[in-house]
């Protein structure tokens, strides 16, 4: 496959905001506070409505306690326009945490779908450096009649006082993840957390030749556009947290059922500041997704 990354034509053209200004909603899952304050402030100005699906038992998908009240306090402080709406439910499934993850997100999407055109589903540890580009990307999706938008993400794996370790290609080049759509059209049905079963628009960093998803054949329903720059990719801080927060994540996230994460924590994640030069293929269960690590100075910034 070439890397000219030209637009792929589709046979439908729909403008979601044909009846007026596009209305954008968003939801926040109240289970992870580590990066929440900084991430929500980036995209909050784009929102017309904000929904928080709150578990009434204060438990996460695997049944472990999560900091719901702390997260709500952060979200309410960021909600300077009073657009927040809380919905309650119970989303715990010890046997299949991913099913509970999907159900909680779907409850939020359903709560927003009658009053907005698009719904942002940017996770609490995903920092969007240039939110203004998101509106342009939604225009592209509207013109093509596509109901889901994916965005490239830089993965930060480990943070120490001196360094932050970023996932890179085997030769140290840039590479990006696509864990699922960050925006979906109102009324969609989600599968596997925030993914959808229909067509989706995958934005690429122009010239990207190192990401696994770019080097594979397009998935069914995948449409590609490559005009973003490296600094416009989302910075995914999911793994760049302190050890206690990392253990909390591994015990409560949607993939917890896969198991083996205690060994992974001690054998891969914990020693990475010392062993990063030797470590390869670091993702805990997706072979080839995280080829290697590269350190850069930990200057306190979430993005370059």
């Amino acid at each position: 496959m070439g890397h000219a990354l030209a637009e792929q034509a589709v046979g439908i053209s729909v403008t979601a905001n044909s009846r007026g200004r596009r209305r954008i909603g968003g939801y926040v899952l109240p289970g992870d506070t580590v990066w929440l304050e900084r991430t929500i402030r980036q995209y909050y100005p784009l929102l017309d409505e904000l929904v928080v699906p709150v578990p009434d038992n204060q438990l996460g998908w695997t049944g472990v306690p999560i900091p719901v009240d702390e997260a709500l306090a952060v979200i309410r402080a960021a909600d300077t326009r009073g657009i927040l709406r809380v919905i309650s439910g119970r989303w715990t499934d010890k046997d299949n945490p991913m099913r509970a993850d999907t159900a909680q997100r779907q409850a939020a999407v359903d709560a927003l779908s009658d009053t907005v055109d698009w719904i942002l589903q940017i996770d609490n540890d995903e920092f969007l450096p240039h939110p203004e580009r998101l509106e342009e990307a939604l225009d592209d999706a509207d013109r093509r009649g596509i109901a889901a938008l994916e965005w490239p993400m830089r993965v930060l794996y480990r943070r120490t006082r001196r360094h932050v370790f970023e996932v890179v290609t085997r030769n140290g080049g840039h590479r990006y993840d696509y864990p699922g759509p960050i925006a979906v059209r109102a009324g969609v049905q989600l599968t596997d957390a925030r993914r959808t079963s229909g067509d989706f628009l995958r934005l690429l960093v122009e010239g990207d030749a190192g990401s696994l998803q770019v080097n594979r054949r397009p998935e069914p329903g995948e449409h590609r556009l490559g005009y973003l720059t490296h600094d416009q990719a989302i910075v995914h801080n999911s793994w760049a947290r302190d050890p206690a927060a990392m253990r909390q994540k591994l015990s409560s996230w949607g993939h917890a059922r896969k198991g083996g994460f205690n060994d992974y924590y001690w054998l891969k994640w914990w020693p990475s500041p010392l062993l990063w030069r030797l470590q390869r293929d670091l993702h805990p269960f997706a072979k080839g997704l995280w080829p290697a690590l590269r350190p850069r100075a930990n200057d306190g910034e979430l993005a370059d």
Side-chain angles (χ1 to χ4, degrees), residues 93-115:
D93 190 333
K94 296 179 181 180
D95 295 326
N96 192 341
M98 185 61 71
R99 183 165 54 200
D101 180 343
T102 307
Q104 186 177 14
R105 294 173 186 273
Q106 189 67 55
V109 168
D110 293 344
L112 288 161
S113 287
D114 287 340
T115 54

Side-chain angles (χ1 to χ4, degrees), residues 223-235:
H223 306 269
R224 296 181 178 182
L225 279 177
Y227 57 70
L228 296 179
T229 60
H230 175 68
D231 68 297
Q232 292 166 352
I234 284 174
V235 180

Side-chain angles (χ1 to χ4, degrees), residues 163-202:
H163 296 101
V164 59
F165 292 83
E166 183 171 352
V167 175
V168 294
T169 64
R170 283 184 175 270
N171 63 5
H174 296 311
R175 46 78 58 217
Y176 310 93
D177 265 7
Y178 293 88
I182 65 161
V184 294
R185 201 185 297 275
V188 302
Q189 290 296 306
L190 302 179
T191 63
D192 296 326
R194 57 178 159 177
R195 295 188 181 276
T196 64
S197 58
D199 286 9
F200 63 96
L201 178 60
R202 175 170 282 172

Side-chain angles (χ1 to χ4, degrees), residues 139-180:
D139 287 341
D140 286 324
D142 282 339
R143 282 191 290 268
R144 291 161 176 78
I146 296 175
L149 173 68
E150 291 199 353
W151 203 273
M153 299 193 189
R154 300 166 53 187
V155 175
L156 301 188
Y157 183 79
R158 185 79 152 83
R159 189 182 296 270
T160 67
R161 289 184 180 180
R162 296 180 57 192
H163 296 101
V164 59
F165 292 83
E166 183 171 352
V167 175
V168 294
T169 64
R170 283 184 175 270
N171 63 5
H174 296 311
R175 46 78 58 217
Y176 310 93
D177 265 7
Y178 293 88

Side-chain angles (χ1 to χ4, degrees), residues 76-291:
R76 287 190 171 113
D79 179 29
T80 56
R81 291 179 284 123
I83 61 173
L84 170 65
R85 179 159 45 107
V86 172
I87 61 172
S88 296
R90 186 163 296 192
W91 301 284
T92 297
D93 190 333
K94 296 179 181 180
D95 295 326
N96 192 341
M98 185 61 71
R99 183 165 54 200
D101 180 343
T102 307
Q104 186 177 14
R105 294 173 186 273
Q106 189 67 55
V109 168
D110 293 344
L112 288 161
S113 287
D114 287 340
T115 54
V116 302
D117 301 300
W118 280 89
I119 298 164
L120 302 189
Q121 41 180 20
I122 298 174
D123 282 354
N124 301 5
D125 50 22
E126 296 170 355
F127 182 84
L128 180 64
H130 295 275
E132 70 280 0
R133 298 307 305 271
L134 189 51
E135 288 266 30
E136 300 171 33
L138 293 179
D139 287 341
D140 286 324
D142 282 339
R143 282 191 290 268
R144 291 161 176 78
I146 296 175
L149 173 68
E150 291 199 353
W151 203 273
M153 299 193 189
R154 300 166 53 187
V155 175
L156 301 188
Y157 183 79
R158 185 79 152 83
R159 189 182 296 270
T160 67
R161 289 184 180 180
R162 296 180 57 192
H163 296 101
V164 59
F165 292 83
E166 183 171 352
V167 175
V168 294
T169 64
R170 283 184 175 270
N171 63 5
H174 296 311
R175 46 78 58 217
Y176 310 93
D177 265 7
Y178 293 88
I182 65 161
V184 294
R185 201 185 297 275
V188 302
Q189 290 296 306
L190 302 179
T191 63
D192 296 326
R194 57 178 159 177
R195 295 188 181 276
T196 64
S197 58
D199 286 9
F200 63 96
L201 178 60
R202 175 170 282 172
L203 292 191
L204 312 180
V205 172
E206 188 173 11
D208 176 22
S211 300
L212 180 64
Q213 293 92 338
V214 174
N215 286 313
R216 294 192 302 206
R217 294 174 60 88
E219 301 172 27
E222 176 185 347
H223 306 269
R224 296 181 178 182
L225 279 177
Y227 57 70
L228 296 179
T229 60
H230 175 68
D231 68 297
Q232 292 166 352
I234 284 174
V235 180
H236 194 186
N237 286 283
S238 183
W239 296 75
R241 55 186 73 208
D242 66 50
M246 193 68 234
R247 289 193 295 272
Q248 168 69 26
K249 170 187 169 61
L250 293 177
S251 69
S252 63
W253 70 332
H255 297 289
R257 189 187 183 193
K258 297 179 187 297
F261 293 121
N262 186 60
D263 290 343
Y264 179 85
Y265 173 88
W266 290 111
L267 298 177
K268 289 273 192 177
W269 186 84
W270 176 264
S272 58
L274 296 176
L275 301 181
W276 66 271
R277 291 180 180 85
L278 303 175
Q279 290 178 318
R280 295 291 183 271
D281 202 9
L282 287 109
H283 197 277
F285 55 84
K287 187 172 179 57
L289 189 60
W290 293 353

Side-chain angles (χ1 to χ4, degrees), residues 24 71 88 100 128 302 304:
I24 298 177
S88 296
L128 180 64
L302 295 180
D304 290 335

